[in-house]
Amino acid sequence: MAEAKLEIRIGEIRIDLEGTSEFVSNHYDKIEKHLETYVKLSKTTGQKQTKSSNVTETKIADVVETQTVQTTVNSSDLPETFGEWLNVIPKDTSDTTKALLAGYYTQLNSENKTFRSRDISSLLKEHSIKLSNTSQFVKQLAKDKKTFQHSKNGNEANYKVSRDTEDALKKMFE
């Protein structure tokens, strides 16, 4: 699957999109509807319209199909508290996915950017969600390649969520 990056600059306004070609193309369609507004805003503040060099005189869709860049997840778009995360996801979300969300939330907010089984367990218990054996959920997530072991301190493993899984989790909040 091809990955793409798009940058649009209109005066002080800057729009960056990164992800699969399909993702960038779909989001560009949403942004395109508002481009006139961005131009008007730019003109009212005395700014000139400028475009990124990879976008000038070319249809944006062509750029999206031809450029290849690594996908990154912007965590600033996610809700701030784990309780908000739980309110956004569907009610029928599996316990495995909740464990994965708890791990990812912990990873984003921890100093070393990793999570442990006990971190998931503690976070879910704070929200009245009890898993029978959290370490089994974490092992299954690693087996399914949704997470991977980052390091180990004694008997305790530190995990990280894989990039593809990060993208899938972020889509839950769109």
Side-chain angles (χ1 to χ4, degrees):
M1 187 178 303
E3 298 197 14
K5 179 178 181 177
L6 172 68
E7 180 182 294
I8 301 171
R9 290 181 189 220
I10 304 170
E12 293 284 320
I13 300 169
R14 178 178 167 178
I15 301 168
D16 290 327
L17 291 174
E18 289 187 44
T20 63
S21 295
E22 180 182 322
F23 173 84
V24 173
S25 182
N26 288 340
H27 280 79
Y28 175 74
D29 292 341
K30 294 174 186 176
I31 291 169
E32 184 179 34
K33 295 174 186 175
H34 303 287
L35 284 178
E36 273 187 30
T37 306
Y38 296 142
V39 171
K40 288 176 185 175
L41 281 171
S42 179
K43 287 179 181 178
T44 60
T45 60
Q47 300 293 323
K48 292 176 82 179
Q49 178 181 354
T50 60
K51 293 183 179 180
S52 172
S53 61
N54 63 345
V55 180
T56 55
E57 304 298 309
T58 307
K59 284 189 154 194
I60 304 282
D62 295 337
V63 173
V64 168
E65 290 177 10
T66 58
Q67 283 198 323
T68 302
V69 177
Q70 187 161 6
T71 304
T72 58
V73 173
N74 185 357
S75 61
S76 63
D77 295 337
L78 299 174
E80 289 183 32
T81 65
F82 188 67
E84 290 175 289
W85 287 34
L86 293 175
N87 286 334
V88 172
I89 63 173
K91 300 277 185 230
D92 61 346
T93 301
S94 70
D95 286 345
T96 304
T97 303
K98 289 177 185 174
L100 182 59
L101 281 169
Y104 184 49
Y105 179 83
T106 302
Q107 175 181 317
L108 290 174
N109 293 296
S110 72
E111 189 175 304
N112 61 358
K113 301 299 180 201
T114 61
F115 67 90
R116 303 169 299 186
S117 292
R118 76 165 116 168
D119 298 328
I120 292 173
S121 202
S122 297
L123 186 57
L124 291 176
K125 280 181 186 175
E126 288 174 19
H127 294 279
S128 302
I129 300 170
K130 294 182 181 169
L131 299 181
S132 57
N133 189 347
T134 308
S135 62
Q136 283 303 113
F137 282 96
V138 173
K139 286 178 184 174
Q140 186 62 43
L141 289 168
K143 186 177 180 182
D144 294 342
K145 308 245 187 254
K146 293 182 179 186
T147 64
F148 60 92
Q149 185 174 322
H150 179 264
S151 59
K152 194 167 188 176
N153 296 332
N155 289 336
E156 194 166 58
N158 294 311
Y159 293 89
K160 281 192 160 201
V161 174
S162 71
R163 289 250 187 224
D164 291 340
T165 304
E166 282 184 65
D167 292 341
L169 291 174
K170 187 177 177 207
K171 286 182 182 181
M172 292 178 76
F173 298 100
E174 291 180 347

